[in-house]
Amino acid sequence: MELRRPGFRDWAELLFTAAIAAGCAWYVIDTYATSSRAKNVILILPIGVTGVVLAVGLLFSKAVGFLRGSQTSPAAGCVQHGKPKLNLETLQTVAVTALFALYCISVDVVGFDAATFAFVLVSLFALGERSKVMLVVYPASFTLVALKMTALTSYDIPVLLEVMGR
Amino acid sequence: MIDAAALTEALALLGSDWMAWTVMPLGIIIGLIAGAIPGISASVAMVLVLPFTLYMGFLPAILLLTSVFTGASFGCAVPAILMNIPGTPAAVATTFDGFPMTQQGKHNEALGIGLISSACASAISYIFLFLLLVPLSRLVLLLGSVEMFLVALWGLTLIAALSGKNMVKGLVAGMLGLLLGTIGMSDTGYMRGTLGIPMLVDGVPEVPALMGLFVASQLLHSVGSKYIVEDSAARTISFARIFQGIRQAIAYPGIILKGSVVGTLVGVIPGVGSSVSNLISYSVTRRGDKDPESFGTGNPKGLIAAESGNSSSEGGALTTLLALGIPGGGATAIMLSAFTMHNVVGGPTFINDQRDVVYAIIVGNFAQTAFLILLGLPFIYFVSRIVRVPMRVLIPSVLSLCALGAYSMTGNMMGPYVVLVFALLGWLLTQFNFPVAATVVGLMLGRLTESSLIRSYQMSGGELSFLLERPAAIMLAVLIVLSIAWPLVRRLRNRQPRQIGEAAQEG
């Protein structure tokens, strides 16, 4: 009988659940360290502890699931979880996520106008847009319209000229 | 109960003031557009028009502000339905069934349902205001922290409903949201979970977090799709189908009425408002339905409940403002500013001495619901074209609008960073089958739950018998228990005859 090994996705889920448990535990400890008085911990303590217990329970049940799977599944029915396939969709998701992160970080450096133009342009290309007209005209016009809309709000949006002037 | 003489004077007042009739459609249009843009809420739109009210009489000033509020109450449903973007917390429950309907190609029907539910519920809440202004205002005085805590708890029971088949994951997601909602300085001055970041002192900004959890994570999930509506034949925009949606909503008057009652009562409570009423209305309708599992997959009843819950809270909030002079939230606080600008003080004296003006405001709001339908129809016909935009254009555009909108709300880079962090969190939650909606509910209600619980604890001195001294709290507790237990009892009773029948057949 072959052992069923947990795949990449299983480990990722375990790690994420463990992170939730750890995060809840840290928050409870941080709150308790601030003050153990009822008016500080009255909600956070019971909710946090329950959250940690449930998350650890999820981890435990997942681990037991792996062990049971390895003990009972016959070789013929065994599912091998190999390495995740890097298809175009996964690459595009990672690219857009990374670009969005870069966009948020760069706003304070180059201003919303330049950052928005660059983000929309590069994302369009990463997601498959190849028309040259679309790649130039749309990011420019979108940036202009978006900045005009945000002029309605109370706060000044930092733009390239203003950032350069700092 | 109704002062006929004051009502006659109110109608004469409205009939003679042409400005009142000019500002109402204008306010509706401004509200619709503002509500539809993520990051620009009803409060922001009302603040923008507030200076203009200085040059108007008191009645047109209030009618302008309330029409912006009415327009925005529905306007925020438009991005929620079409793109899964709840522009304000009041539209969170709208996304649960509104966006799945769009994905199924029923965007026209969904928008029609949202429009008519919003308009009808708004009108019903004003009927309550008209008939029960004084009793409702007396009810407000009975409400305190205990009642607010119970209302928040009622909203939290939705977490269990949103958990689907995996209750444990749902509860973990909900508790995570609750804890995230309490980050920052508490009402009692304790600093928790800020990691030394000064911008977290006021807590996690709610709307940017919602944008990240719902919108950005949904968009990252949709990277492989070509359009929101995959079937090209379903990407039509049709008045006929919008009207079909309107007829669908009218076929469920009970749900609209239930949502209106919940929204009005919750809206009356200061500090609670439409962000909680839409969740409670959705939760109550889902629990009471014969097929609760269909909610969250594009069930029109869920959309009707959510929209009627959030729009009817306006009437409730106006009750507290007119009868007691107390603003219940940001929007009514801005209306209170208009009161001050015109040297008017809300409260019992205002209602007694200027009842004709109060009635004129209420009748004017009835007219606003008619304007909402008239102007909302071409508006939704126009904006529903978004389903024809390819995802490769929509994804970067909406993500950057989220970042811009988040910056507009917080005034600093905290907004965009929160969108980014919560987008990643939302994406991971979705990947591993944790319900994002449960985290959202917890996040929205965390601070309210904790602050009302602490105040209740301080007032009661830790004695549970304090609850027995508060009839409103007992009534709310009974309502909550009934809303949870009654559908379960009904389901058990329906199951028993079926089981007996099946056993008889096998015999």
Side-chain angles (χ1 to χ4, degrees):
Chain A
M1 185 191 305
E2 283 187 48
L3 290 175
R4 176 180 168 274
R5 287 185 306 170
F8 172 78
R9 199 184 163 78
D10 295 313
W11 284 116
E13 186 174 342
L14 275 176
L15 202 61
F16 181 64
T17 311
I20 292 177
C24 290
W26 169 79
Y27 189 57
V28 168
I29 293 168
D30 182 67
T31 302
Y32 198 82
T34 303
S35 170
S36 57
R37 296 181 74 179
K39 58 185 182 179
N40 184 40
V41 301
I42 191 168
L43 183 77
I44 293 173
L45 189 62
I47 297 289
V49 167
T50 310
V52 170
V53 166
L54 289 175
V56 167
L58 275 175
L59 284 170
F60 186 68
S61 73
K62 193 87 178 166
V64 165
F66 291 155
L67 286 170
R68 281 191 182 153
S70 66
Q71 287 166 358
T72 59
S73 63
C78 183
V79 176
Q80 290 291 331
H81 292 275
K83 286 183 187 170
K85 289 181 193 156
L86 285 176
N87 57 19
L88 179 64
E89 190 181 314
T90 312
L91 285 171
Q92 283 177 329
T93 307
V94 172
V96 169
T97 311
L99 283 168
F100 186 55
L102 209 58
Y103 170 59
C104 291
I105 294 165
S106 66
V107 158
D108 218 20
V109 177
V110 299
F112 259 109
D113 48 352
T116 303
F117 178 81
F119 170 67
V120 175
L121 168 65
V122 178
S123 300
L124 275 175
F125 188 81
L127 291 169
E129 182 60 59
R130 294 291 180 264
S131 156
K132 289 188 179 67
V133 170
M134 190 65 180
L135 283 171
V136 173
V137 172
Y138 182 75
S141 42
F142 175 80
T143 304
L144 271 168
V145 170
L147 287 175
K148 283 289 172 203
M149 280 192 324
T150 47
L152 296 171
T153 62
S154 333
Y155 299 106
D156 285 331
I157 307 287
V159 292
L160 182 62
L161 290 173
E162 187 187 298
V163 168
M164 281 167 63
R166 281 189 205 156
Chain B
M1 217 159 39
I2 300 170
D3 187 337
L7 181 59
T8 313
E9 280 175 49
L11 291 170
L13 201 59
L14 268 174
S16 61
D17 195 337
W18 62 269
M19 186 160 256
W21 295 97
T22 315
V23 299
M24 281 195 281
L26 185 63
I28 294 282
I29 293 170
I30 292 171
L32 282 170
I33 295 171
I37 301 171
I40 299 175
S41 60
S43 305
V44 171
M46 288 166 77
V47 159
L48 291 171
V49 303
L50 183 64
F52 298 103
T53 63
L54 197 54
Y55 306 102
M56 301 174 191
F58 177 69
L59 180 61
I62 296 301
L63 288 176
L64 173 61
L65 292 172
T66 53
S67 42
V68 170
F69 192 29
T70 303
S73 292
F74 171 64
C76 64
V78 172
I81 290 169
L82 293 178
M83 292 185 289
N84 205 31
I85 305 177
T88 67
V92 163
T94 304
T95 63
F96 295 165
D97 283 286
F99 187 62
M101 284 185 76
T102 297
Q103 289 178 311
Q104 292 161 19
K106 296 178 189 170
H107 45 283
N108 298 287
E109 290 88 337
L111 288 169
I113 287 170
L115 178 64
I116 202 67
S117 304
S118 209
C120 290
S122 203
I124 292 171
S125 76
Y126 279 104
I127 292 172
F128 283 131
L129 177 59
F130 185 60
L131 297 173
L132 301 171
L133 177 59
V134 173
L136 277 176
S137 65
R138 288 200 191 117
L139 178 66
V140 174
L141 294 172
L142 291 177
L143 302 175
S145 307
V146 178
E147 291 76 18
M148 282 175 70
F149 171 69
L150 288 169
V151 167
L153 201 63
W154 201 2
L156 286 170
T157 58
L158 182 58
I159 289 175
L162 293 170
S163 300
K165 292 195 167 71
N166 198 327
M167 185 62 73
V168 178
K169 280 191 170 176
L171 289 173
V172 170
M175 285 177 189
L176 177 66
L178 264 171
L179 293 177
L180 288 169
T182 58
I183 285 175
M185 187 177 279
S186 69
D187 287 353
T188 44
Y190 296 109
M191 197 86 80
R192 297 88 50 100
T194 58
L195 295 165
I197 302 170
M199 290 192 275
L200 278 177
V201 168
D202 284 332
V204 174
E206 201 174 76
V207 176
L210 291 183
M211 284 186 192
L213 279 171
F214 266 131
V215 183
S217 66
Q218 172 68 37
L219 289 174
L220 293 177
H221 214 64
S222 309
V223 162
S225 313
K226 289 198 161 45
Y227 291 88
I228 297 174
V229 182
E230 291 286 0
D231 180 8
S232 58
R235 267 179 248 138
T236 53
I237 295 140
S238 151
F239 266 124
R241 289 173 61 185
I242 291 172
F243 280 115
Q244 201 179 324
I246 289 174
R247 280 194 296 274
Q248 237 179 330
I250 292 171
Y252 297 106
I255 297 177
I256 295 177
L257 184 62
K258 213 185 318 184
S260 306
V261 169
V262 167
T264 307
L265 290 176
V266 174
V268 148
I269 305 171
V272 179
S274 53
S275 55
V276 179
S277 60
N278 75 118
L279 296 173
I280 295 177
S281 177
Y282 183 86
S283 170
V284 165
T285 300
R286 188 184 190 280
R287 273 206 196 88
D289 195 72
K290 289 174 196 164
D291 185 15
E293 301 306 320
S294 65
F295 281 65
T297 63
N299 189 332
K301 295 183 208 173
L303 180 54
I304 296 167
E307 275 304 292
S308 51
N310 80 28
S311 297
S312 53
S313 66
E314 184 189 341
L318 210 55
T319 306
T320 316
L321 179 67
L322 292 173
L324 299 171
I326 302 169
T332 41
I334 294 161
M335 285 186 220
L336 191 62
S337 307
F339 272 58
T340 310
M341 282 158 71
H342 290 83
N343 293 321
V344 173
V345 178
T349 316
F350 173 63
I351 292 178
N352 288 331
D353 297 348
Q354 298 193 62
R355 194 162 287 198
D356 54 335
V357 175
V358 173
Y359 280 168
I361 292 172
I362 295 170
V363 174
N365 276 280
F366 282 127
Q368 280 169 29
T369 56
F371 279 123
L372 177 63
I373 296 171
L374 282 170
L375 296 168
L377 279 169
F379 179 75
I380 59 180
Y381 183 81
F382 176 70
V383 295
S384 55
R385 281 164 199 282
I386 209 132
V387 298
R388 292 183 177 169
V389 178
M391 287 302 281
R392 63 179 183 276
V393 174
L394 215 50
I395 289 171
S397 311
V398 174
L399 283 176
S400 49
L401 274 180
C402 285
L404 277 164
Y407 187 97
S408 308
M409 302 208 90
T410 58
N412 53 40
M413 287 307 299
M414 180 66 178
Y417 289 146
V418 165
V419 174
L420 175 64
V421 168
F422 278 82
L424 293 171
L425 176 64
W427 186 75
L428 287 167
L429 286 168
T430 314
Q431 286 297 308
F432 301 125
N433 299 318
F434 287 85
V436 173
T439 306
V440 166
V441 170
L443 182 69
M444 282 168 57
L445 296 176
R447 200 158 272 267
L448 172 68
T449 309
E450 191 193 28
S451 58
S452 52
L453 180 59
I454 289 171
R455 277 197 295 274
S456 306
Y457 174 77
Q458 288 174 322
M459 281 161 57
S460 66
E463 295 288 331
L464 278 173
S465 57
F466 179 70
L467 275 174
L468 299 172
E469 296 167 25
R470 302 192 67 86
I474 295 170
M475 204 172 68
L476 267 171
V478 167
L479 265 174
I480 293 169
V481 168
L482 276 175
S483 75
I484 297 168
W486 176 245
L488 286 171
V489 165
R490 209 173 60 187
R491 228 165 273 142
L492 275 168
R493 281 167 67 184
N494 289 341
R495 207 180 288 167
Q496 275 172 1
R498 220 183 312 135
Q499 282 174 347
I500 292 167
E502 283 167 4
Q505 276 181 352
E506 282 169 19

